[in-house]
């Protein structure tokens, strides 16, 4: 946990340092208490990449995922957010961890697996459109890569809490002055054993795509 807090602190400090170097200066700052803050939520398909999951049909591994986040733009091109994601993921287990009790491949002792999880994370965000072009509050589309780190937890036995790093691409399409339609594509890396099994690999992964809405306080 200490390492996680240190990593989060480094990310926020890096974002503030980058913001301080921005050519926009104070021109972006608003007068209101919630200037440049935003909140959002979304949902969409996700798929987990565990030790035995490749033996399960890809379509049967897809589940719904949900996300909620709140963040702030320090400048038009540098921001940060805190997010919460989760629900459940499907896969296969050989040792019975998170097993549904449904046999899948008896010869290899494989059964279906469902894991209820959540992921709490902090991300540093980079608005590429505002970086390379002039700041425009009415821009229709914004492409926003981000990197982050957080804690991924399996909430039922066998429980697991592991640090996870993520890389994503946040796509924002303006609907009104304050409301955007968003498509958030994110990949996670989490240590081996998150799914309750040690398979000899250093890590497991999660791929999530979420469509949703973002509201900006201006």
């Amino acid at each position: 946990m200490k390492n996680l807090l240190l990593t989060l602190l480094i990310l926020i400090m890096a974002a503030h340092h980058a913001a301080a170097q921005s050519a926009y200066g104070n021109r972006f700052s608003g007068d209101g208490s919630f200037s440049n803050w935003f909140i959002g939520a979304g949902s969409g398909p996700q798929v987990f990449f565990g030790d035995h999951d490749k033996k399960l049909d890809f379509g049967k591994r897809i589940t719904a995922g949900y996300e909620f986040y709140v963040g702030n733009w320090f400048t038009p091109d540098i921001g940060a957010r805190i997010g919460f994601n989760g629900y459940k993921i499907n896969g296969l287990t050989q040792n019975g961890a998170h097993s549904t009790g449904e046999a899948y491949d008896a010869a290899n002792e494989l059964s279906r697996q469902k894991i209820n999880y959540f992921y709490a994370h902090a991300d540093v965000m980079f608005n590429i459109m505002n970086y390379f072009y002039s700041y425009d509050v009415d821009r229709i589309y914004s492409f926003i890569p981000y990197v982050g780190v957080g804690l991924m937890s399996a909430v039922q036995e066998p429980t697991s809490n592991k640090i996870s790093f993520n890389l994503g691409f946040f796509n924002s399409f303006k609907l009104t002055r304050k409301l955007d339609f968003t498509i958030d594509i994110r990949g996670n890396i989490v240590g081996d054993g998150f799914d309750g099994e040690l398979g000899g690999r250093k890590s497991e992964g999660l791929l999530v795509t979420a469509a949703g809405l973002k509201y900006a306080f201006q």
Side-chain angles (χ1 to χ4, degrees):
M1 182 61 69
K2 290 182 179 179
N3 290 334
L4 175 60
L5 293 175
L6 178 60
T7 304
L8 292 176
L9 179 60
I10 291 173
L11 280 173
I12 298 301
M13 290 177 63
H16 276 288
H17 176 74
Q21 303 301 318
S22 173
Y24 294 99
N26 293 325
R27 178 166 63 87
F28 181 61
S29 299
D31 297 326
S33 300
F34 294 98
S35 294
N36 309 323
W37 285 88
F38 60 88
I39 61 172
S43 65
Q46 60 182 356
V47 61
F48 188 69
F49 299 87
D51 296 313
H52 308 288
D53 294 348
K54 64 181 180 180
K55 297 181 180 180
L56 181 64
D57 292 342
F58 187 80
K60 294 180 179 180
R61 293 163 57 188
I62 298 174
T63 61
Y66 301 92
E67 68 176 19
F68 173 80
Y69 54 86
V70 57
N72 178 258
W73 288 105
F74 309 131
T75 73
D77 46 345
I78 301 293
R81 70 174 179 177
I82 296 175
F84 301 91
N85 304 75
Y87 186 39
K88 65 179 180 180
I89 48 183
N90 288 344
L92 293 175
T93 178
Q94 193 172 53
N95 69 357
H98 304 291
S99 176
T100 65
E102 179 185 351
Y104 180 78
D105 183 352
N108 291 300
E109 300 181 337
L110 292 175
S111 62
R112 296 288 296 272
Q113 179 186 63
K114 289 186 183 295
I115 305 173
N116 295 322
Y117 85 100
F118 73 88
Y119 177 49
H121 56 99
D123 304 322
V124 177
M125 310 176 75
F126 309 90
N127 191 317
I128 296 299
M129 310 300 287
N130 285 340
Y131 181 81
F132 286 105
Y133 304 98
S134 61
Y135 170 58
D136 182 1
V137 70
D138 295 317
R139 178 171 283 116
I140 298 299
Y141 170 69
S142 293
F143 176 63
I144 306 171
Y146 62 89
V147 294
V149 62
L151 187 68
M152 185 176 290
S153 300
V155 299
Q156 83 272 33
E157 294 293 337
T159 59
S160 177
N161 297 286
K162 290 185 176 292
I163 293 176
S164 176
F165 295 91
N166 68 71
L167 171 67
F169 303 98
F170 190 82
N171 301 271
S172 185
F173 303 85
K174 185 165 293 295
L175 300 176
T176 70
R177 188 80 172 185
K178 294 185 177 183
L179 189 65
D180 291 359
F181 171 73
T182 61
I183 300 176
D184 193 357
I185 303 171
R186 185 184 71 254
N188 280 77
I189 294 294
V190 64
D192 187 25
F194 175 77
D195 59 358
E197 297 192 48
L198 294 174
R201 301 188 304 177
K202 292 184 178 180
S203 61
E204 299 168 342
L206 180 69
L207 180 63
V208 181
T209 299
L213 296 172
K214 176 175 69 71
Y215 181 82
F217 298 90
Q218 296 178 350

